[in-house]
Amino acid sequence: MHESLIDYVFTKMNKAMELLDEAMQALWCRGKSVDECLKGIDKAYSLIEDAKLELSEAISEILVVMVG
């Protein structure tokens, strides 16, 4: 059970890191119009929320295993 939990947590963490990397790229505004920058900020916000969800799911699973 613990190995599958570790795999699950690392998968969620890796997905979160990928989303955060994509968010950082979306925030890059050099050479873009103000409208493109604002769209990038909106996209980054959405990606960060998705990353938070991935990490939250991983933490929840850890807590379930620890408590139960």
Side-chain angles (χ1 to χ4, degrees), residues 12-53:
K12 290 291 186 179
M13 288 174 54
N14 285 334
K15 179 63 177 173
M17 292 300 293
E18 289 171 8
L19 291 166
L20 292 173
D21 185 52
E22 194 175 338
M24 295 271 294
Q25 292 173 22
L27 290 172
W28 186 255
C29 286
R30 182 176 286 176
K32 295 182 181 178
S33 69
V34 172
D35 189 49
E36 289 174 313
C37 284
L38 292 174
K39 287 178 183 175
I41 291 168
D42 286 340
K43 181 179 180 180
Y45 180 82
S46 177
L47 291 165
I48 291 167
E49 289 298 315
D50 291 346
K52 283 174 37 180
L53 179 62

